[in-house]
Amino acid sequence: MYKYYIFALVLGVSVIPFQPSSKAQQRVTVDNKTNSKDRLTHAFSREWLESKAKELATREYKIKQIPADNPLSQMGYDDYKKIQLERGATIWSKEDRNFRVNPLHPGFLFKTPVKLNLVVGGVSRQIFYTTKIFNYDSEQEALKNTDAQGYSGFSVTHPINNAEKWDEFMVFQGGSYFRAVGQSNWYGLSARGLAINTAKPSGEEFPVFTEFWLERPKEKSENLVIHALMESESLTGAFTFTVKPQKNTEVLVKSTLYPRRDISSFGIAPLTSMFLFNGMNRSRFDDFRPAVHDSDGLLMVKGNNEKIWRSLANPRRLQVSAFEDEAIKGFGLMQRSREFNDFEDMEAHYHNRPSAWVTPINNWGPGHVELIEIPTKAEIHDNIVAFWQPNQILKAGQPREFSYKISWGSDAPIKNIDGKIISTAAGKSLGSETMREFVIDYKGQHLPQDLLINAISSSGHIAGVTSKIIPETNNLRVVVKFEPADEDLSELRVSLAKGDKQWGETWLYRWTR
C-alpha cells in the first residue's frame, strides 16, 4: 500500500562511486570447493543463468526471509524513509557509463534479501550487503547492527531529461516488481516478472527476484543489461532486461520459465496500476479533485488490427474481464489525461504518470488479455492488474520462453490513428431516474461526416445514440443513452465505421450498479 511514496521520483540525485570496504573486498574470493553456481566470483552468461534456474526448479523451494523479531521487519514507513544511501556508495558514478546504480536498504515491507552482482568481462562479483554504506537517524542505532544478507533491490539513474542532471528512471524492489519512466514522467504504474493465480479463490502466489546481475555498460552506452533470477513455490525463471532510457523508455524482456508443477492460471507481462475515480464515477467520492488515477484505460491492438479502448472502473465488487485473441499485437495500461486541470493535484502529478505498452516479440500463441479491477476507497492501493494469459498451460519440467518489450512514456508507441478516445464521462440522463448517459470524445485529424455508430449492450438496452463535432476542440463527441432496467451489470460496446472499415478505437465498458 506504500509503493507510491517509496518510489516517488528522485530528481537531481547526488552520486559518488561505490567503494566497498577492505573487508568486503577481501570477501570477494573464489572458493574452488564451492559449486560454480554459488561462487561469489564466477564466469557469467545468460546460459549460466538459465542452467541455474533450471537446476533450482528440481529442488524444494526455499526462500529466505528477514525474521519477524529483526528490527528491519519491525520498521515502519517513517523510519524506512529516514535511511539514506551514503555519499560514496553509488555504483559507476565516476565512470562514463551513462548509468548509475543505487542499492536499496532492506526492511519495512521488503523482507526478502536480494543479492546484487556486477558483471565485468563475463565475470560476476557479488556486492556484499553492509550497513556501512547507509546513513541512519540518531534513533536507528539498532538497524546499523543488523545483517539482512542482502539488499531489497536497486534504482538506476541516467541523464534522461537533462544532460547535466542525473534522474532516477527505473527501480527494481519488492517481489518481482519493477517500474520505469520516460522523459518528464513521474513514477506511476508497475510491472512484474510474472503473475500466478491472481484474483483466484486459492490465493495469489507472488514470485520474487532473489538475485540480480548487472552488466557494466560500455562507456557512453545507451543500454543497460540486467539479469535476474526469479523464484517461487511453483517455478523458477531466468530474466534478462535490456533497458534504454529515452522519451519512451524501452525495456526489452527475455524470460524463460521452469515450472515445478502444472500452472494453468498465470499472467505474462503483468502491469499493476491504480484507478480511484474520474468522470465515470466521481459522484462516489467527496474530493476536490476531478480525477485520481495512475491509468484511465486498457488499450489493446488485436491480431486483426482492431484497436480497443476499455475504460477502467473502480467497482463495488471484484470484477475480472477477459479479451480473447489468437495473436495479440500489443496491450497496455494508459494514462491519457495529460493536463494539470484534469486532476488539480500539485503533489501527486497524476498528469505526468507514464503509460506502459507491451509488445510481444516471440509467438505467445492464442489466449486473452485479462483485466482485474479491485474495489478501493483510497489512492494508496493499486487496484488494477492487466496481463496476457496464454491458453497453453505451463507444464511441469517443460521450459517456456516469453519475450516482449515494455515501453514507458506519455503515450503508446503505436501509429497515431484517427479516432483516439481521449475522454469518457457518465451520469444520469436528464429527466430520467434510471437512464444513464455515456459521453465519449474522439480525437482525429480527419473526422468523417458519414460515420456509422454501432452501440450495443449485453443486458438492458441502448435508448439512443447521438454524435456532434465540438466546435471549441473539433473533436467528435458520441453520447450513448443506456437504460439498465432491472439489470445489475451490462457490457457496453461502441464501435464506429466508415463504410465497411473500422474508424477509430472501439470503446468498451462494464457498467455495474
Side-chain angles (χ1 to χ4, degrees):
M1 62 183 287
Y2 297 94
K3 285 205 304 297
Y4 159 67
Y5 300 100
I6 293 166
F7 292 142
L9 181 61
V10 178
L11 299 177
V13 179
S14 297
V15 282
I16 299 177
F18 177 73
Q19 297 172 344
S21 66
S22 59
K23 290 183 179 179
Q25 290 173 333
Q26 292 170 9
R27 293 177 63 185
V28 182
T29 59
V30 178
D31 182 355
N32 292 327
K33 296 180 180 179
T34 304
N35 185 298
S36 64
K37 293 185 177 60
D38 299 319
R39 287 177 182 168
L40 307 179
T41 302
H42 58 81
F44 180 86
S45 65
R46 168 75 191 189
E47 292 73 24
W48 179 93
L49 179 58
E50 291 177 352
S51 176
K52 181 179 178 69
K54 182 177 180 180
E55 193 268 335
L56 279 175
T58 65
R59 300 187 200 173
E60 180 183 357
Y61 172 66
K62 293 181 180 180
I63 193 75
K64 290 183 179 180
Q65 291 281 326
I66 299 173
D69 59 354
N70 189 308
L72 294 172
S73 293
Q74 300 169 358
M75 185 171 23
Y77 168 70
D78 289 336
D79 282 333
Y80 186 80
K81 70 178 183 179
K82 292 177 183 177
I83 302 172
Q84 300 294 322
L85 189 68
E86 185 177 284
R87 293 177 62 87
T90 294
I91 302 168
W92 301 325
S93 67
K94 285 192 175 180
E95 302 177 43
D96 193 10
R97 304 291 172 187
N98 226 12
F99 297 92
R100 297 171 181 175
V101 176
N102 298 302
L104 298 176
H105 200 283
F108 179 43
L109 299 177
F110 311 109
K111 301 176 182 179
T112 301
V114 176
K115 294 180 180 179
L116 302 181
N117 305 272
L118 297 182
V119 179
V120 180
V123 176
S124 168
R125 292 181 181 270
Q126 185 175 342
I127 305 171
F128 283 95
Y129 172 72
T130 174
T131 59
K132 293 181 179 180
I133 65 171
F134 294 98
N135 291 321
Y136 299 87
D137 185 84
S138 59
E139 299 178 354
Q140 296 179 314
E141 286 299 318
L143 298 176
K144 296 171 68 172
N145 299 319
T146 57
D147 183 8
Q149 299 184 15
Y151 298 93
S152 64
F154 61 93
S155 63
V156 187
T157 63
H158 171 83
I160 184 171
N161 297 305
N162 186 318
E164 304 301 321
K165 190 177 181 182
W166 291 76
D167 291 337
E168 182 178 315
F169 77 96
M170 191 173 196
V171 63
F172 286 82
Q173 188 180 36
S176 65
Y177 282 90
F178 62 97
R179 58 175 61 184
V181 294
Q183 288 178 358
S184 76
N185 292 145
W186 285 55
Y187 278 136
L189 78 170
S190 304
R192 284 187 281 165
L194 190 72
I196 301 177
N197 288 342
T198 306
K200 296 293 187 287
S202 59
E204 184 165 3
E205 180 178 328
F206 289 92
V208 178
F209 287 138
T210 57
E211 191 164 3
F212 290 93
W213 293 262
L214 293 89
E215 292 189 20
R216 187 179 70 178
K218 296 179 180 179
E219 292 188 358
K220 300 181 181 179
S221 176
E222 295 184 351
N223 300 308
L224 176 65
V225 179
I226 302 165
H227 305 274
L229 173 66
M230 189 178 72
E231 298 184 69
S232 77
E233 183 178 352
S234 299
L235 51 66
T236 63
F239 282 72
T240 298
F241 304 89
T242 303
V243 182
K244 184 176 183 179
Q246 53 188 358
K247 180 179 180 180
N248 276 52
T249 292
E250 293 184 351
V251 180
L252 184 64
V253 183
K254 180 179 180 180
S255 65
T256 306
L257 307 177
Y258 300 90
R260 289 188 171 97
R261 62 172 180 83
D262 291 356
I263 306 172
S264 59
S265 176
F266 64 101
I268 302 302
L271 303 175
T272 302
S273 191
M274 181 276 294
F275 177 89
L276 191 64
F277 67 87
N278 66 3
M280 297 290 281
N281 64 331
R282 189 181 184 282
S283 61
R284 288 168 46 193
F285 294 87
D286 186 10
D287 197 303
F288 77 92
R289 298 168 294 182
V292 174
H293 52 75
D294 286 336
S295 307
D296 51 10
L298 168 65
L299 178 64
M300 295 166 279
V301 177
K302 300 184 68 175
N304 64 0
N305 287 321
E306 181 183 14
K307 297 172 179 65
I308 295 177
W309 175 260
R310 166 58 155 80
S311 294
L312 296 179
N314 179 5
R316 299 182 188 275
R317 295 178 295 276
L318 171 71
Q319 60 185 33
V320 180
S321 304
F323 308 92
E324 296 182 344
D325 199 28
E326 292 297 311
I328 192 76
K329 290 189 174 180
F331 71 93
L333 292 174
M334 302 289 111
Q335 180 76 313
R336 285 188 169 173
S337 302
R338 287 295 169 195
E339 301 298 328
F340 171 78
N341 58 13
D342 291 330
F343 301 95
E344 297 289 346
D345 195 318
M346 296 178 64
E347 297 180 356
H349 294 260
Y350 287 116
H351 61 292
N352 287 329
R353 302 297 174 98
S355 299
W357 180 254
V358 177
T359 305
I361 293 177
N362 66 336
N363 183 8
W364 287 5
H368 66 264
V369 174
E370 190 160 315
L371 173 66
I372 299 167
E373 296 163 305
I374 304 167
T376 186
K377 296 180 180 180
E379 62 200 274
I380 60 174
H381 299 130
D382 282 348
N383 65 321
I384 303 294
V385 183
F387 53 75
W388 177 257
Q389 165 74 70
N391 287 348
Q392 184 182 352
I393 70 171
L394 296 175
K395 298 288 291 184
Q398 298 181 12
R400 289 274 295 279
E401 181 180 318
F402 295 93
S403 296
Y404 52 94
K405 180 173 64 177
I406 307 179
S407 178
W408 307 75
S410 296
D411 204 353
I414 57 178
K415 184 179 179 181
N416 192 26
I417 61 166
D418 283 343
K420 175 182 176 180
I421 296 171
I422 55 175
S423 68
T424 308
K428 186 170 65 175
S429 185
L430 185 65
S432 173
E433 291 299 318
T434 59
M435 190 176 299
R436 307 292 297 172
E437 285 190 3
F438 294 90
V439 180
I440 311 164
D441 286 356
Y442 299 79
K443 185 177 181 63
Q445 298 297 320
H446 308 286
L447 296 174
Q449 300 296 318
D450 54 349
L451 279 176
L452 299 176
I453 304 173
N454 182 29
I456 59 176
S457 61
S458 62
S459 60
H461 68 272
I462 303 298
V465 179
T466 59
S467 65
K468 294 181 180 179
I469 302 297
I470 305 172
E472 291 79 4
T473 63
N474 287 324
N475 294 330
L476 172 67
R477 172 163 293 180
V478 173
V479 179
V480 178
K481 293 187 175 183
F482 168 66
E483 176 56 69
D486 296 328
E487 301 294 339
D488 293 325
L489 180 151
S490 184
E491 298 286 357
L492 305 177
R493 177 184 176 96
V494 177
S495 59
L496 286 66
K498 182 179 181 181
D500 59 352
K501 294 183 178 180
Q502 177 191 8
W503 185 88
E505 297 172 343
T506 298
W507 178 84
L508 303 180
Y509 187 69
R510 177 180 289 183
W511 172 84
T512 58
R513 288 193 187 275

